[in-house]
Amino acid sequence: MTNNQIWGGLKNAAIYSVVFTFVSVLITILAAYHDLVDSIGKEQIKTVTELAYAEVISYNKKNLERELQNESRQHNRQQSRIKVTFHGVGKYN
């Protein structure tokens, strides 16, 4: 056997190990999730999902209010700068 064959075999073994470990963990997670859904019940999962949606909506509403306040502040600053600029132009004329 040559060095290339040894390194090739080692590489293949490492690839197989990583791929099959990932597949095994994925199958285990899916099976555990299925058992969790069965044990909790569909009503409780629906309630948890609705609570999560409510939390997201609440966050989005607060975020929108902050964005609108920031836009209002920026607009007010721009308006005050325009007034100062026009007022300053009138002084020099």
Side-chain angles (χ1 to χ4, degrees):
M1 288 174 76
T2 66
N3 278 344
N4 289 339
Q5 290 174 331
I6 293 173
W7 287 112
L10 184 62
K11 181 181 81 170
N12 288 340
I15 291 172
Y16 285 129
S17 295
V18 169
V19 169
F20 286 117
T21 300
F22 176 76
V23 169
S24 176
V25 169
L26 181 64
I27 290 171
T28 303
I29 289 171
L30 292 175
Y33 176 76
H34 179 68
D35 287 344
L36 178 67
V37 170
D38 287 345
S39 68
I40 291 177
K42 296 187 186 213
E43 269 312 305
Q44 286 85 355
I45 290 177
K46 182 179 176 185
T47 302
V48 169
T49 303
E50 289 172 354
L51 289 172
Y53 285 145
E55 184 68 25
V56 168
I57 290 170
S58 173
Y59 174 79
N60 287 345
K61 182 180 175 187
K62 290 176 186 175
N63 195 36
L64 176 63
E65 290 170 355
R66 281 193 299 265
E67 287 180 9
L68 291 174
Q69 287 174 350
N70 286 339
E71 287 177 5
S72 176
R73 284 188 202 119
Q74 286 178 345
H75 179 73
N76 290 341
R77 285 184 194 140
Q78 288 174 347
Q79 292 299 320
S80 66
R81 287 181 188 150
I82 291 171
K83 288 179 185 176
V84 168
T85 302
F86 286 138
H87 183 66
V89 170
K91 281 184 172 179
Y92 296 111
N93 288 337

